Amino acid sequence: MPSEDQKRVLDPEQDAAALKALTHPLRIRLLGMLRQDGPATASELAVRTGESSASTSYHLRVLAKYAFVAEAEHRDGRERRWRAVHALTSWSNRAMEATPGSRAYVTLSRRVQIQHLEESLVRHEADIADGRLGREWVEPSGISDRMPRLTPESLTELWESFGGRLRELAARDAGDPRAVQVVLLTAGLPLAPRETGAAPDGAAADAAADAGAAAEAAPDGVAGDAAPDGVAGDAGADAGAAS
């Protein structure tokens, strides 16, 4: 688990220019790739994203200007390699409500996290099918979809409990050669009650209809969500590989 010095905590007032620079889908994606897979060149990232190397090089320089990435040790002298400066981007949800720019970043970051979940699911299924992951990973893997009724205080406590337990387990497994990178996206999204007789939109109706089946797709306690180490209640949110 990342330590405090491995987090980039964003402040909407002090980091307004950095937030504006980061509010770009490709820049968020490039930063996430460097965090998840390690240092890479602009050309390598261009192949993985389907962009031109000129485009990825430009956006990496913008990220470097605001200290999200930095030059990594070169394997040769032909092309510079880039690394992520921090393992997580973190913020307070309450503080990020302050400006339109910070709100736009949070909205975009959440959408990118959902995209990251889809990409991770495709990669996970291929790794299992092709034997890159052992069969011991089949049972504990999954996505859980639940809809409990909670107060703001209970949701905050849930985030804190989840984050604390995750830190304990990550520390325990740090030296275990069987440990692999696990994508955990956590979400806690309160919904206002619908007005009586109001028809749900199509996506919401489908999601509600499928919720029970989705919950059965993972063992108890396996949650897939999009929050953080400190994405707890008033702690805000973290974004790792997805941002």
Side-chain angles (χ1 to χ4, degrees):
M1 290 291 295
S3 59
E4 288 303 312
D5 61 351
Q6 291 177 302
K7 291 184 181 182
R8 171 73 180 270
V9 181
L10 295 175
D11 181 285
E13 294 185 359
Q14 299 180 10
D15 299 315
L19 275 168
K20 184 177 180 180
L22 196 57
T23 307
H24 188 289
L26 181 56
R27 290 174 196 160
I28 289 181
R29 191 177 181 194
L30 293 172
L31 179 56
M33 287 179 170
L34 293 176
R35 286 175 172 173
Q36 184 168 19
D37 299 319
T41 66
S43 296
E44 291 168 342
L45 293 169
V47 171
R48 291 163 57 187
T49 59
E51 300 284 336
S52 69
S53 57
S55 176
T56 54
S57 179
Y58 167 74
H59 289 297
L60 285 165
R61 290 196 301 272
V62 174
L63 289 171
K65 178 180 179 180
Y66 294 101
F68 290 105
V69 306
E71 284 194 49
E73 187 174 321
H74 293 200
R75 289 188 299 202
D76 56 50
R78 290 179 296 177
E79 186 175 3
R80 71 175 64 177
R81 296 178 64 76
W82 297 94
R83 63 175 178 84
V85 175
H86 304 92
L88 284 176
T89 304
S90 183
W91 60 86
S92 161
N93 285 332
R94 185 176 289 111
M96 294 292 261
E97 282 288 302
T99 69
S102 56
R103 291 196 297 271
Y105 167 74
V106 171
T107 296
L108 176 60
S109 178
R110 288 173 174 175
R111 299 302 184 274
V112 172
Q113 286 175 313
I114 297 303
Q115 180 184 349
H116 176 55
L117 175 60
E118 171 64 26
E119 293 171 350
S120 297
L121 175 59
V122 171
R123 178 174 169 180
H124 163 75
E125 291 175 337
D127 286 344
I128 290 288
D130 297 340
R132 288 185 291 272
L133 284 174
R135 303 303 296 176
E136 68 273 14
W137 288 105
V138 172
E139 184 63 26
S141 303
I143 298 174
S144 177
D145 183 345
R146 302 178 184 218
M147 291 178 287
R149 294 179 62 84
L150 299 173
T151 64
E153 294 77 16
S154 292
L155 183 55
T156 298
E157 183 178 340
L158 180 61
W159 281 125
E160 293 171 348
S161 298
F162 177 82
R165 184 58 175 154
L166 180 58
R167 284 189 291 273
E168 291 175 7
L169 294 173
R172 186 185 73 183
D173 292 349
D176 193 324
R178 301 173 302 150
V180 300
Q181 186 179 71
V182 175
V183 173
L184 284 174
L185 285 97
T186 50
L189 305 173
L191 302 175
R194 292 190 180 279
E195 295 181 9
T196 303
D201 59 78
D206 291 344
D210 293 342
E216 294 300 320
D220 287 348
V222 178
D225 320 74
D229 193 35
V231 163
D234 27 359
D238 296 339
S243 85

